[in-house]
Amino acid sequence: MVHLDDGAAHGPYDLIVDATGAGSPISPLKSVPLPYGAIWGTVDWPQTDLPAHHLSQCYRRADRMIGVLPIGKVPGDPKPKAAIFWSMPRDSHAAWVSGGVQAWKDEAIGLWPAFAPFAAQIHASEQMTMARYAHGTLRQPWSTGIVQIGDAAHRASPQLGQGANMALLDALALARALDAETGDAALALYAKARRWHVMTYQAMSAAFTPQYQSDSRWLPVLRDRLLYPLSQLPPGPRILTAIVCGTMLPPLRGLGRV
């Protein structure tokens, strides 16, 4: 049975899947806050020279980051949309709001002029939502009758862009585990199948994050002067593609291929 705060009860169910994300009210996960987060907003895709098929970003060292991500269309609106984001320390949102949207827009456009037609659509701080990132993993993302997937089970910074991928792979692993076993055995099989893949990607995210979101002066130099040139040489592009696709390691260990 599921009992809500208002006293309503639902069920009984054979299994409850907690896919409510980082804000899950029922996940026991205790995560470690990361020092940086970002404000996010959604705007119409404007007339721009930026590519409409992949993420574009601009950096100043690692303490300033602007991103523009094409996200397609929403039902009932023919205009394509873009998600925009701006990196900031997790405790600086109140100062950003008090500083005013125009001051932020001036700074962002000064750093990246191509951002201007996106920023022009932001008129109030309420159009941007603060996302605060954290890192953590449930050692056992299940108990009898309930299982956590996605950010309810494991969290990391978004530098590898794997949040949705990890959740979808969790869902696929859970479905296959339920086809292979029943009850607690199925949930244990799901957790075992995803453990090493999730841990590896979390470790890579923890290693890469300070190069993109931190106050460091030397890590961005390492990123730009060494790691980026190396990434352009074989087998760098193939490895990066596998990382971003989530296939650098078998994501469903013991449960078949994706």
Side-chain angles (χ1 to χ4, degrees):
M1 297 288 291
V2 177
H3 298 273
L4 306 184
D5 287 342
D6 62 5
H10 299 271
Y13 302 108
D14 293 329
L15 178 65
I16 297 168
V17 179
D18 179 8
T20 53
S24 169
I26 55 177
S27 172
L29 175 57
K30 305 296 183 183
S31 55
V32 178
L34 296 177
Y36 267 73
I39 49 172
W40 288 77
T42 301
V43 298
D44 293 334
W45 188 267
Q47 195 70 31
T48 176
D49 292 332
L50 293 181
H53 58 278
H54 64 71
L55 170 67
S56 298
Q57 296 182 115
C58 179
Y59 291 88
R60 188 196 74 182
R61 296 192 297 270
D63 64 344
R64 291 290 185 274
M65 175 177 67
I66 315 170
V68 171
L69 176 66
I71 56 174
K73 300 176 182 179
V74 298
D77 189 343
K79 298 178 181 177
K81 304 294 181 182
I84 60 174
F85 57 91
W86 169 266
S87 176
M88 64 170 60
R90 65 179 297 114
D91 59 355
S92 64
H93 183 248
W96 175 81
V97 172
S98 65
V101 167
Q102 190 57 52
W104 165 68
K105 289 163 66 172
D106 291 343
E107 180 182 359
I109 295 168
L111 178 61
W112 193 20
F115 188 63
F118 299 90
Q121 301 178 60
I122 302 298
H123 308 290
S125 60
E126 292 78 12
Q127 291 177 260
M128 303 294 289
T129 300
M130 182 68 190
R132 294 177 174 86
Y133 306 137
H135 186 102
T137 307
L138 285 175
R139 292 179 61 86
Q140 180 175 304
W142 64 274
S143 57
T144 300
I146 186 168
V147 61
Q148 277 80 28
I149 68 173
D151 280 359
H154 44 74
R155 299 166 199 167
S157 83
Q159 293 306 323
L160 297 179
Q162 292 300 300
N165 273 5
M166 295 292 111
L168 291 170
L169 289 169
D170 286 352
L172 180 58
L174 178 59
R176 291 190 179 176
L178 289 168
D179 284 340
E181 298 285 353
T182 59
D184 289 355
L187 304 184
L189 181 59
Y190 147 73
K192 181 179 179 181
R194 294 291 295 131
R195 182 173 296 119
W196 287 106
H197 189 259
V198 168
M199 289 177 59
T200 299
Y201 271 83
Q202 284 188 314
M204 288 192 297
S205 177
F208 281 121
T209 292
Q211 299 176 35
Y212 296 91
Q213 286 189 299
S214 73
D215 297 322
S216 174
R217 294 298 185 98
W218 66 270
L219 283 176
V221 175
L222 174 68
R223 175 194 71 201
D224 296 340
R225 303 299 184 185
L226 178 62
L227 297 182
Y228 173 73
L230 287 176
S231 73
Q232 304 304 297
L233 301 175
R238 180 170 55 82
I239 293 173
L240 288 176
T241 298
I243 290 174
V244 173
C245 289
T247 57
M248 191 184 73
L249 293 175
L252 304 180
R253 187 181 181 193
L255 290 175
R257 302 181 64 180
V258 175

